[in-house]
Structures are given as C-alpha cells and as structure tokens.
Amino acid sequence: MILRPTAALGVLALCATLAAPSVPVAAAGDTILFGSAVSLTGSLTKEGHLTQEGYEFWKTYTNAHGGIKVGGKTYKVDIKYYDDESKPATAAQLAERLIDQDHVNFILGPYGSGTAFTVAQMVERKKIPMVEGNGAAEKIFSQGFKYTFAVLSPAKRYLEGVLDIGKHQKPAAQTVAITAASDSFSQEVAQGAAEWAAAHGLKVVYNNKYPDTATDVSSIISAVKATNPDIILNAGHLQDALLVHKGLKEQNVPAKIYGYSVGPDTPDFTNSLGKDANDVLGGAQWSDAVKYHGDPGFYASAKDYAKAFEAAYHHRPDYHNAESTAACLAFQYAIQAAGSLDTEKVRDALAKLDKTTFFGILKFDSRGINVFKPMVVNQIQNGRLVTVYPPGLAEAKVKYPAPPWGQR
Amino acid sequence: MHLLAQDLVNGILAGGILAVVALGFSLVWGIMNIINLAHGAFIMLGAFITWQLFTSFHVDPFLSLPVSFVVLFVLGYLIQRYLINWVARAPVLTTFLLTFGLSLLIVNIALLIWTGDTRGVTTAYSGSNFTVAGITVPWAKVYTLAAALVITGVMYMWLHRSKTGRAIRATSMDIGAAQLAGVRVAQIFAIVYGLGAGLAGVAGTLISLSYSLNPAMGQPFLIKGFVVCVLGGLGSVEGALVGGLAYGIVEAFASQIDLTIGTQHISGTGLQDAVALVVLLIVLMVRPTGIMGRATA
Amino acid sequence: MSTALRKIGLGGITGNRTALFISLGLMVLLLLVPTVLPGYQTLFRTILCFVALAYGWNIIGGYTGYVSFGNMVFFGLGTYCAALLSARGIDNLFADVGLAVVVNAAFAAVVGFPVLRLKGHYFGIATLGTALAVTDIVGNLDIFGGTGGLKVTQVDEAHFAIYYYAAWLVAAGAIAVTFLVARSKLGYAFVAIRENEDAAAVLGISATKYKIIAWAISAAIAGAAGAVYARGNGFVDPSIAFAEDFNVYPIVMTILGGTGTVAGPFVGALILSGVNETLGHTFLKLHSLFFGAVIVLVVLLLPRGLVWLIGLRGGVRTWIKSLQAYKA
C-alpha cells in the first residue's frame, strides 16, 4: 500500500529534476562566457578532448595575461562545456540550452562537421555568433548562415596538396585512386581531390566509397590494385584509414604516394602501424613548422605555441588543438575590434576579421569559411611528422616515391 | 574474372572472423533466449587484452587466444551467475535491456582504463602475404581463418560429445525435461553465457590483427553478428560458420556492382550492407530459420 | 471472444489507471515547455518524438509480441517525406504528416507480407536488416540528397514553437491511438496473437491480417513523428534520419516503462530522459557509465517495468517476491 503513492511521487520527483534548470552561470559583470558542446564521450572522444584542450589553453593564457579589454573594461573569460556524446542532435540541444538557459555570450564550435552543422543551424536561429575550428564541410557554409564562422580551410582542400606534390615530382605521378568513407565530410574531401585532379591533368582511375562502419575493405583494395595507380588517396577517419593502410600492405599494393585526409597527423596512426606508416602523406590544417608570425598578445609563432602547449598538456599539439585555439583568438580579436559584447557588432567584426596568427591568417569569405589559409601537407619520415608542403613552409623534402612494402 | 576470384578469397577470409563473432552470440541467443547486446563489449575486451599483452609483454596475438578466452569466460560466467540470472527466465526484452546497460557500463569502464585513443596490433607478419594464381592472400588473415575453423570444430565436437555439451543442448530444447534429467539449469546458463563471452574474446583477439582498437570498436561487429547469426540459423555452430562465410562472400562480391541509371551512379562498395541484408531477407523467405536452422523457432 | 481470452489469463490490458493519469498530467505540463523552459525546447521536442516512437513500437512489439528492431526505418522515411515535400515548395505540417502516415503504412503493409511470416528472433533481425538496407540505399540515391542530405524549410524564430506543439500532438495522438486500440477488438486480437498465435487462429483471428494492421499502425505513428522531427530539425540526411538512437531508445523506454501497457512508453521515456539529463548535469564525463549502471539496476530491481511498480499493491514484500519469479 505504501508503495503506490511513493512510487508515484518518485516518478514526479525524477521528472522535476529534469525540469529543474541548472544554476545559470550567466555572464557575470566582468566575465565573458563562452559555451561549447564538445564530444567528451562517444566515437569522437579523442578529438573532442583535443578541441577542449585547445580552448582551455587559450582561456588560461588570456586570463593570466589580463583578459580581454572591451571598451575600456577588462573582462575575464570562461567557457561552459557540455558533452554532446558525438551526436549532432544532442549538440544542437545543448547549444540551445547554453544560449537560452545558461545565457552564454558566444558559442565555440564542437568537433566534427555533423555536429558543427546542427549547432550552426541553432545559432543562426538564435542569432548568436559561433566560431568553430573543427568542422570543415562546405555543407555548413552553403546554407547562407550569417552567424557561423570557421577558422579552418574547407574540406575539399584536404588532399589537394598531396596531388600537387605528386604532380611536381620527377617522374610525375599521373594516375589517382580515391577511396572514401560515406559520411559527408569524407565525400567532400574526395570530391575536392577528384575535381583538382581533373583540373590539373591527373587521371582518376578509381573513385569509390565504403560504408562508415565497414569492418573489411579488402574488395576495395583489390579493385584499387587492379587499376595500378600512382597515387592512392583515402578520405575517411582514423579507424578506416588504418584499415585501408593495413589492407594495402596485406595485398601488396604499390604506389608512389599514399595520401590520407585523416590519420598521419595523429600519433595513434604511427603508433599503430609502426614502420608501415613511414612516407605516408597527410593533409593538415596546421603544423608547428609553419612560419606565420602573429600579433603580440598571444604566442606569436607556431613553435612558441607548440612549446608552451606541450609544457601544459604533455603532448605535441596537433592541428585540432591549434585550430581550436585559433577559433578563440578569432573571437578575441573580433570582440576587441567591435569594442563591445553586442552580438551583432561582434558578428560584423568577425565578418571583417583579417589577422595573422600562429595558426595562419584568420579571415572569412562571404560564406563564413576561411579560404585564405592554405593547407599544409605533412609526411611521416622515420616515425616523425614533418611538414613538406607548401614549399615556402616545408621543413624537409618529400620522400618520393614511397619504397615498396617491407622496405620502410 | 581474376578480380572475382580475389573477391571470393577476400570474402572467405573476412567471413571467418564474422563466423567467430556470430558463434558466441548465436549460442547465447539460441540456447538461453538472451540477445546479448554486451557481446560487442566482450569482443572489445578480448581485443584489448591481446593488445595489452602484445604491448607490455610482446606476446603474439595467437598465443593470447587462450588468455582472452579464459578471462572473458570467467567474466561472462560471473556476470550471468550473479547478475543476469536474476532475470534469466524473463521475456527476451528484459534481458535485452539488461545487456544494453551492461554494454554501456563495460564500454565506459574501458574508456576510463584505456582512454579513447586508437590502438593497433602490428606483428612482424602482419601485412605479409603470398600470391597464388595472381591472387594475393595475406598470411594473417589465413591464420585467422584457420583459427576460426579450428574453434568452430572444437565447439561443435564439445557440444555434441561432451557431457556438459549434451546437457546444454538438452536445456535448450526443453528446460523442464532437462531439469527432470538432473541438469542444473542455473549452472548451465552460466556456462553457456561464459562460453559466449569467451568466444567473443577470441573473436576480439582475431579482429585485433586487422582492425584498430578503441572502446567503441565492438559495435559494427555486433550488428553484423546479429545478421550472420540469423542468416546461418540461431543456436547452431555450423550455422554461425556458414552464415559468416556467406555474409563475407556476399559483401565482397557486392563491391563489384557498378551501374549507372540515368544520372544516378550506383556503386556496390557503398551498398555492401544493403546487398548483404537483401540476401538475408531472401534466405529467410525461403528458409525462415536460417540456412542451417532447425525447424523449431 | 473476450471471455475466451480471459480464460487464457488476459485481463485488463490497459495497464493501470494511476500510471495513465500521471502520464496524462505530465503531458499537459509538457505544453508549458516553450514558454517556461525555452532552453530545453529542442530537447523536449526530441523526447516527444521518442515518446511517439515508443508508442508506435509498443503496438507491434508490446501488444502483438513481434519485437521489431527496425522501426526506425519508418521514422527515417517520414523525415524524408517532409524533406521531399519541402523541396517541392510544399510547407505544410498536415501534408507532411499525412504523406508520412500513408507512405509508411503502405511500406509496412508491403514489407510486412513476407517479413511478418517470420517468427520471433528472425522477425526482429529481418526488420533490422530492412532498416539497415533502406538506410544504405537512401544514402546512395541522389533524389534523397545522398549523404549530403536535404534542407527542410522552416518558419522563422518567432513562430518556431509550432514544431514543438506539432510533436506534442503526434505524441498525444500516439497515446490516444494506443488507448483506443487497447480497448478495442484490435487490441484483444493483438494480445491474442502475442500469447498464442495458433490458439488465436482457432478463435477466428486472422493472424496475418492483424499483424499487418499492427505494424502499419506502428509505422504510421513512427512516420508522423519523423515528419514533424524533420521540420523541427531543418535538415535531413541518412545519419540524422536513421540515427541508431531512434531505433534503440524507444525500445528501451518501452521496456523500462512496461511493455503492453498504455502508460508504459511515456513513463519510460520521461524517466530515461530525466535520468540521462540529470547525469549529464552532474557528471560531465562519466554520465554514460552511470547511465549504464542505472539501467542495469532498474532492470534487476524492476524487471516488469515501472508502470507495474506504480500500480503495485502489497508493498515491499510483493516486490521482493516478484524478483524471484524470473530466476533460473
């Protein structure tokens, strides 16, 4: 008898907990509050953490160096995080909560194009500016959004540099095989590569996709081998990049260049593959070899940034860290230029931004994406990642062609 | 033609792993009527055990097979005996939900222990291959298929010859009659679930040779395991093997599809899953309990 | 016929009244969300879609006993119905829902003919297979926008709450349909099929006909939820339309709440979301882990679902006794 009303009350109580809003960490008098949904669990955990590290690094530095000066007043910065579990739908819900419930001033983007897209939709409705550094799909920027800005280069660019390298070698590479995962980001990367190849006289002899969740890609590899390409490209994610590379070795597929959109830049790639990872090329948004010189007020050079970052987080920063920090910097410069925290003024200031930083130039085209910063290409040489392209930023020569399997 | 032959070989080799994945899952489902959603998590644990032994002690993955089997068997036995057993006779959906929760638990604990980093097991012979009649065959995959066949064979023998094995099969046919014959059902269930987990661990070890590891890695294999089980016939060792090989081959051949209808280009490589699933549906229409399944549902 | 059914042990299949009234009360409260809790509007809109999906699933899975692992395909097709209408310039929620209902009921009927002949586990996997196959196919066809997806036209921010209320209406409709079905001849037929399909045939219940009806109703509800979700989301692509959450969570919610009851899916949906949210607030990184632990505990302690607990007479002792019933 006691159980029934108690249970009923329990049900209501639980529902009330759901309804109870979290204590709103509203923008206090002298703090600028950023909100960010990042993937702290789920399939993109690793990358979500890298994104968060990049944000936190900037926050710590800024607060330690006097914060941001806006119209004569000094503000500290704070960032409120939620875990989007690597799910785009969740990211959008959390963005709404950050804006309407926690009353953040601005939004820092999530990791991944899928999540960035749903959050971009949300901030567009709510008219709150967002800067992101981890979602490169052009799909985000072809919707006419006015409130989303991305500091990274578009997806289509990822593998162009690899093809450019192949074209300028002696003997020049002539044929290209493209394998891609079926998600929209990888598809854009593949499309960009195919278009560049066609426009620059390289013949695409194979271009096919495989499901995201593929557990075996042997048939694709066999088909690629049959076309005998000079360059083999993969547009996918770490899991399938590893699957493809292992498969290429297993079936003894020779090529002059192996290029991956995702993988070489992650230590996990080299750790997993050992010697077989050598000579692989990867497109990257940044490396610590780039020679940009930023404004004082933050680490001016890539090497300074890398050194300080490594001291704080005990690992070399990869481009996910750097692009996240760059997103914060974009906000900082825009807020300072606008001289106010008004969302419209900051949005306009972002649209007009034109600054060079350790990451490269921060400037957005009319769609909101940074087409002005070139991609770099890194190569794994003797287990180390070195930048080999563009020529002006290269710290080492490209090793070409890749030696046969078993001789790395 | 030559490409088709290569596809056939690829398919068989891939199918071997799927067979082992499906084997443990099928036994638990067929005998205990439990859809073990934690199977993917067990696979992952087996893979990580292998990785840990390989990285810290340089133990070859094939040598770690018995270790992952035993560790996962014990884990599975304990989980069944002291957790799942409370609802062992409940409708299949109850245990479905329970194993769903268990899966979340195990994956997240693994995330804490090993972090989200992706790992790999790369041995001296991984990637090495031989060529026969123009077909390239990777050694590691051949060893894996061999291991899969051996394991399937051993399981089949054990289930049909040993005392415990016969008790298990009796229980699956009629719990009441088995109890009357003196079978301790709770004990049998724990053994079967432990077996299922152990086989998952073994699958994980074999998978770790070609597929990279992270706490979420079991998911795609779980889903394929679902399909392969049913394709071959639930609760049947031969079924898991036949189903796995069939699925692997169909997926491999599916990649040959290359049509253009109007402006729509259809490529089989992106439709591997769809093709395999259509084949499954066709098989089920003709043989409603799977290729090797028994008549009773 | 109802006397015959009672003889094989089937009494009131509506569940219990207390749970039902609590659910209805909470449904009314949910109407206040856009005004009182605007920061949670998207979340609750999604929960309402889950509620609708759970009810849809309950009809085929809970009442008829045919556990479907592929109901997400109807949801997904529903989202594409809205997206395709939007692409043709038709932006009317009624049209969206109408088309989704018709398309999905038809799809279920057509696929149901062969698939519903399978029993138990095989049916479940066949439905899963159908769902996965359709996901793949849709992602590969250009008319559906491929993996790039399709944009869905939305109203402006000032009127945005209309999508919330639409979702609410779909969920309320799903509850109403379930309630009506449960008390009608259809409901008895469904349950009869679940308990003993052969005996039901002897009693004159055509299993094929009723199974297809059950699945068609279930599909129609799921499709309606999808159509509304698509409008609220503004974008549809295979990863959104056929997201695994839409497959697993409605099943989980219904089981948690209590299958084959009217209040079950709703209670389960709210509790599950409530727990998920609370954990998300409290533990930034460990919430998934605790969520798994909570599910395990709930299943072990309440294997019959929460609705059973709400209506329980006899207190703690009955509850402890019930735990022994399922032990092997």
Side-chain angles (χ1 to χ4, degrees):
Chain A
M1 274 315 280
I2 322 159
L3 211 50
R4 199 165 21 145
T6 327
L9 277 172
V11 169
L12 279 168
L14 258 167
C15 298
T17 333
L18 163 61
S22 60
V23 178
V25 189
D30 53 0
T31 310
I32 307 178
L33 184 62
F34 293 88
S36 184
V38 277
S39 37
L40 299 174
T41 57
S43 55
L44 301 171
T45 308
K46 178 85 191 281
E47 294 87 340
H49 278 113
L50 292 174
T51 308
Q52 191 184 32
E53 282 177 356
Y55 293 157
E56 286 290 297
F57 185 71
W58 169 82
K59 181 185 102 179
T60 315
Y61 182 94
T62 309
N63 285 335
H65 287 80
I68 301 183
K69 286 194 183 22
V70 186
K73 193 169 162 195
T74 307
Y75 287 86
K76 287 214 162 305
V77 298
D78 196 14
I79 309 176
K80 180 148 179 72
Y81 298 98
Y82 284 123
D83 173 18
D84 66 25
E85 298 174 48
S86 310
K87 295 180 186 164
T90 312
Q93 293 165 13
L94 295 169
E96 183 182 59
R97 191 177 318 170
L98 284 165
I99 295 172
D100 285 336
Q101 191 73 36
D102 300 317
H103 304 293
V104 298
N105 296 93
F106 307 106
I107 296 282
L108 285 168
Y111 177 84
S113 292
T115 31
F117 184 77
T118 56
V119 178
Q121 284 178 297
M122 183 61 69
V123 300
E124 191 72 12
R125 272 175 46 203
K126 307 282 182 187
K127 300 198 178 353
I128 300 280
M130 152 161 101
V131 180
E132 53 110 344
N134 291 282
E138 281 179 72
K139 176 170 105 177
I140 305 174
F141 301 96
S142 54
Q143 313 291 335
F145 292 148
K146 296 249 161 289
Y147 286 84
T148 299
F149 299 90
V151 294
L152 71 177
S153 314
K156 288 193 175 170
R157 293 270 180 89
Y158 267 69
L159 291 172
E160 288 178 353
V162 175
L163 292 175
D164 203 15
I165 290 176
K167 204 164 178 290
H168 287 96
Q169 299 301 312
K170 291 184 178 31
Q174 290 176 317
T175 52
V176 184
I178 305 175
T179 61
S182 55
D183 65 290
S184 51
F185 169 77
S186 306
Q187 287 294 296
E188 281 191 31
V189 171
Q191 195 184 352
E195 284 169 359
W196 196 96
H200 290 81
L202 290 171
K203 186 154 177 268
V204 178
V205 292
Y206 185 87
N207 188 354
N208 259 321
K209 63 178 167 183
Y210 51 84
D212 261 0
T213 51
T215 54
D216 185 83
V217 291
S218 321
S219 321
I220 295 188
I221 308 240
S222 305
V224 165
K225 184 176 180 182
T227 60
N228 209 10
D230 291 326
I231 302 179
I232 299 181
L233 297 179
N234 173 259
H237 304 281
L238 185 59
Q239 181 78 273
D240 36 275
L242 287 166
L243 204 57
V244 167
H245 203 67
K246 275 189 157 175
L248 289 170
K249 179 174 181 194
E250 274 179 350
Q251 298 200 38
N252 216 0
V253 186
K256 302 196 172 75
I257 288 184
Y258 300 88
Y260 291 85
S261 65
V262 169
D265 267 73
T266 330
D268 292 346
F269 190 82
T270 321
N271 291 338
S272 300
L273 294 170
K275 285 216 207 70
D276 294 324
N278 278 332
D279 309 315
V280 168
L281 292 167
Q285 296 280 354
W286 172 91
S287 78
D288 58 17
V290 300
K291 302 191 172 77
Y292 304 110
H293 212 82
D295 277 5
F298 195 72
Y299 298 103
S301 79
K303 286 252 172 333
D304 290 339
Y305 172 81
K307 217 164 118 203
F309 189 95
E310 187 160 4
Y313 288 102
H314 311 295
H315 69 84
R316 238 177 120 191
D318 77 355
Y319 69 79
H320 297 108
N321 299 122
E323 57 197 14
S324 307
T325 306
C328 302
L329 281 178
F331 261 126
Q332 181 171 1
Y333 292 136
I335 293 171
Q336 283 167 341
S340 132
L341 293 178
D342 174 76
T343 52
E344 292 303 311
K345 294 208 174 99
V346 172
R347 189 223 83 87
D348 292 337
L350 279 168
K352 296 202 204 77
L353 193 65
D354 188 348
K355 275 234 179 270
T356 305
T357 64
F358 77 97
F359 180 69
I361 188 168
L362 295 182
K363 189 173 165 181
F364 311 108
D365 73 355
S366 58
R367 301 172 300 162
I369 189 157
N370 188 351
V371 299
F372 303 97
K373 178 189 77 62
M375 298 277 295
V376 300
V377 177
N378 294 321
Q379 185 172 39
I380 300 177
Q381 295 182 354
N382 296 318
R384 262 202 66 110
L385 198 65
V386 291
T387 306
V388 296
Y389 176 98
L393 302 176
E395 49 181 1
K397 268 192 64 157
V398 178
K399 269 187 78 181
Y400 173 94
W405 294 102
Q407 284 181 25
R408 292 170 182 216
Chain B
M1 207 47 222
H2 157 264
L3 201 51
L4 279 176
Q6 176 79 60
D7 279 341
L8 182 62
V9 170
N10 291 342
I12 294 177
L13 292 174
I17 290 192
L18 291 178
V20 183
V21 167
L23 187 52
F25 193 66
S26 179
L27 283 176
V28 170
W29 197 357
I31 294 173
M32 296 171 66
N33 200 34
I34 290 180
I35 300 177
N36 182 21
L37 289 177
H39 196 74
F42 292 145
I43 293 176
M44 180 265 298
L45 285 178
F48 269 96
I49 289 175
T50 303
W51 176 84
Q52 195 70 69
L53 288 176
F54 180 75
T55 314
S56 308
F57 306 108
H58 304 291
V59 177
D60 181 272
F62 284 101
L63 290 178
S64 69
L65 275 171
V67 179
S68 53
F69 178 82
V70 168
V71 171
L72 264 310
F73 176 87
V74 170
L75 180 65
Y77 184 95
L78 292 173
I79 288 180
Q80 210 289 341
R81 202 75 209 274
Y82 298 108
L83 275 183
I84 302 181
N85 201 37
W86 285 97
V87 290
R89 298 274 213 80
V92 66
L93 284 177
T94 314
T95 45
F96 176 87
L97 186 54
L98 181 61
T99 56
F100 175 76
L102 275 174
S103 177
L104 272 180
L105 254 182
I106 297 176
V107 170
N108 277 286
I109 292 177
L111 201 57
L112 282 176
I113 301 176
W114 286 294
T115 78
D117 289 355
T118 303
R119 329 262 177 170
V121 171
T122 308
T123 59
Y125 53 84
S126 91
S128 66
N129 52 69
F130 63 92
T131 313
V132 61
I135 301 175
T136 314
V137 184
W139 274 115
K141 291 220 160 98
V142 171
Y143 299 149
T144 305
L145 179 64
L149 290 171
V150 167
I151 291 165
T152 316
V154 165
M155 277 307 305
Y156 186 84
M157 288 297 188
W158 188 79
L159 274 175
H160 286 258
R161 301 284 168 85
S162 79
K163 188 161 160 233
T164 324
R166 292 214 296 270
I168 290 175
R169 287 174 59 233
T171 317
S172 82
M173 289 187 216
D174 191 332
I175 290 188
Q179 269 175 326
L180 280 174
V183 172
R184 277 161 52 226
V185 176
Q187 171 84 322
I188 292 292
F189 277 178
I191 291 178
V192 172
Y193 194 82
L195 258 183
L199 286 168
V202 162
T205 300
L206 295 175
I207 287 171
S208 72
L209 286 166
S210 17
Y211 197 78
S212 28
L213 282 66
N214 65 59
M217 67 180 279
Q219 190 69 355
F221 291 100
L222 174 66
I223 298 186
K224 294 205 168 145
F226 255 113
V227 177
V228 167
C229 263
V230 170
L231 182 62
L234 274 180
S236 147
V237 173
E238 332 72 276
L241 183 62
V242 169
L245 291 174
Y247 193 95
I249 295 174
V250 168
E251 259 199 350
F253 279 140
S255 68
Q256 288 299 316
I257 300 175
D258 200 347
L259 320 155
T260 312
I261 305 176
T263 49
Q264 175 71 55
H265 175 235
I266 298 181
S267 146
T269 55
L271 281 169
Q272 284 174 329
D273 290 338
V275 171
L277 292 162
V278 168
V279 167
L280 169 73
L281 289 172
I282 295 175
V283 166
L284 283 178
M285 290 307 110
V286 174
R287 288 188 65 90
T289 49
I291 300 177
M292 317 274 296
R294 295 167 289 175
T296 43
Chain C
M1 180 179 65
S2 41
T3 347
L5 286 168
R6 246 171 262 275
K7 280 211 180 100
I8 46 178
L10 294 176
I13 55 176
T14 52
N16 72 69
R17 289 244 167 80
T18 323
L20 190 56
F21 286 138
I22 295 179
S23 305
L24 292 176
L26 288 170
M27 268 301 271
V28 170
L29 276 180
L30 281 177
L31 279 170
L32 298 172
V33 164
T35 34
V36 169
L37 287 174
Y40 289 85
Q41 198 187 120
T42 309
L43 173 68
F44 274 104
R45 193 180 67 231
T46 310
I47 292 178
L48 285 167
C49 287
F50 275 126
V51 168
L53 278 169
Y55 274 96
W57 186 86
N58 197 21
I59 302 242
I60 184 74
Y63 280 98
T64 318
Y66 270 74
V67 174
S68 159
F69 291 129
N71 268 24
M72 69 169 174
V73 75
F74 305 123
F75 181 85
L77 287 175
T79 62
Y80 275 98
C81 283
L84 288 171
L85 282 176
S86 169
R88 270 154 191 67
I90 306 172
D91 295 314
N92 181 322
L93 276 169
F94 289 110
D96 295 332
V97 171
L99 182 64
V101 162
V102 168
V103 164
N104 281 294
F107 186 69
V110 166
V111 175
F113 254 114
V115 167
L116 281 163
R117 280 173 34 201
L118 302 167
K119 294 275 166 74
H121 315 302
Y122 299 94
F123 171 75
I125 294 306
T127 57
L128 178 66
T130 313
L132 293 175
V134 169
T135 311
D136 257 8
I137 293 172
V138 163
N140 274 284
L141 291 176
D142 291 335
I143 27 165
F144 291 110
T147 42
L150 296 170
K151 192 165 173 203
V152 180
T153 321
Q154 300 179 301
V155 296
D156 59 10
E157 180 67 11
H159 297 99
F160 210 79
I162 193 173
Y163 299 124
Y164 181 86
Y165 295 119
W168 190 95
L169 277 173
V170 171
I175 300 178
V177 165
T178 307
F179 187 74
L180 289 172
V181 162
R183 306 174 109 238
S184 76
K185 187 170 160 218
L186 271 182
Y188 279 113
F190 295 159
V191 175
I193 292 174
R194 177 184 82 205
E195 294 301 314
N196 194 329
E197 195 162 327
D198 297 323
V202 166
L203 288 171
I205 298 174
S206 157
T208 318
K209 172 175 149 196
Y210 283 102
K211 279 192 284 191
I212 291 187
I213 294 178
W215 211 22
I217 297 178
S218 155
I221 295 176
V228 166
Y229 183 83
R231 283 286 171 187
N233 201 44
F235 197 82
V236 171
D237 71 20
S239 73
I240 294 174
F242 301 104
E244 203 172 273
D245 276 2
F246 289 121
N247 204 21
V248 177
Y249 277 25
I251 302 179
V252 169
M253 287 167 182
T254 313
I255 302 174
L256 259 185
T259 49
T261 65
V262 177
F266 188 80
V267 170
L270 278 199
I271 298 295
L272 199 74
S273 314
V275 169
N276 207 5
E277 280 306 304
T278 320
L279 289 174
H281 278 314
T282 332
F283 309 100
L284 193 53
K285 288 184 195 178
L286 292 180
H287 63 97
S288 240
L289 194 146
F290 284 109
F291 190 58
V294 166
I295 291 184
V296 169
L297 277 173
V298 170
V299 171
L300 289 177
L301 296 174
L302 291 171
R304 277 174 225 241
L306 286 157
V307 162
W308 175 83
L309 177 70
I310 296 177
L312 189 60
R313 281 160 227 268
V316 181
R317 210 165 286 159
T318 321
W319 171 55
I320 291 185
K321 253 173 121 187
S322 78
L323 291 179
Q324 297 290 332
Y326 287 142
K327 269 189 90 165

